Amino acid sequence: MAAISLDPTLTLRISKEPHQHRAVIEEIEGLIRVYKDGHVERPQIVPNVTSALAPEINLVSEDVIIDKCTNIWGRLYVPKGKTNLPLIVYFHGGGFCVGSAAWSCYHHFLAQLSARADCMILSVNYRLAPEHPLPTAYEDGFKALLWIKQQTLCGSSQWWTKNINFSRIFLAGDSAGANIAHNVAISSEPFDLTGMILIQPFFGGEKRTYSEKNNIQPPRSALTLSTADTYWRLALPSRANRDHPFCNPMADRNSLKELRIRLALVCIAENDILRDRNLEYCVSLGKKVEHVVYKGVGHAFHVLGKTQLSQVRTLEMMSHIKDFIWR
């Protein structure tokens, strides 16, 4: 069984002493430290990279501004020499609190996915909690959809708009990003979305599932029960608990009826603490969803996994995504 862990060689050291004697109220070691006065520290655990790609990758990538006022931007991945492409609007993971569309692991994964699945991808860099608690990330995701619609309505001269099939738009993301895709889909009435692709969606609840209690994670795992709880405390609105619909869509089945989506693909990792909650979500959605459980891998295997098994499962998942968006 392959455990997925953060690479300790990427971690920058954070002082163990409180900064200028301020009290630390929340911390996930190596990822985020929050002080009582509101100051937030995030070490650069994963390097940020530009949109540049190796010449042998037959893609064009560039960064675009989605909303100047809130500094929302995106990174495009466009296969060269192809038109009428499906568009995936992608949200990165990180518990709503860390991560970036510029992280090297996402840049590598999404470039590979775009090339292998023959699709255009817009990776959205949304605002992070706790400075911007939920629903800010959902609002940023909705702004990204509005921006895309604006490109079609105003006859944008942007070169990449000529490559898109605007009738085949998918929302997607992994972990917290999959949660964002789900919640943006709920509010997407002005858009005719084809489907959504949720990779290990980050949902929770006050009552623990079997996999949350029994899928023991190794040190420095990408997601443990403790880190999940911390992310939710930092991201949810004030005084909300883990049965809030942002966290636990199954707690309010009526909210799932508002999901304006034709089809969904849910990608689940067998060793993930989120496995059972992901499976419950699939049951709740019924006939409009299909799911795949990837054996022997854990949370975020597709971006943080270094083992051969993780790489094999990632290629399998890319193949499933390609089949889903081109059917």
Side-chain angles (χ1 to χ4, degrees), residues 95-138:
F96 308 102
C97 299
V98 299
S100 169
W103 269 15
S104 59
C105 56
Y106 281 107
H107 185 57
H108 176 71
F109 169 69
L110 292 176
Q112 273 204 338
L113 179 61
S114 177
R116 289 179 178 273
D118 284 328
C119 65
M120 188 179 302
I121 298 175
L122 173 65
S123 178
V124 180
N125 201 73
Y126 54 88
R127 288 173 289 175
L128 300 175
E131 301 95 324
H132 305 283
L134 297 174
T136 301
Y138 307 153

Side-chain angles (χ1 to χ4, degrees), residues 138 179 202-205 232 236 241-249:
Y138 307 153
N179 177 301
F202 186 39
F203 298 132
W232 285 122
L236 284 171
N241 67 18
R242 293 192 306 274
D243 281 333
H244 190 286
F246 292 168
C247 177
N248 187 1

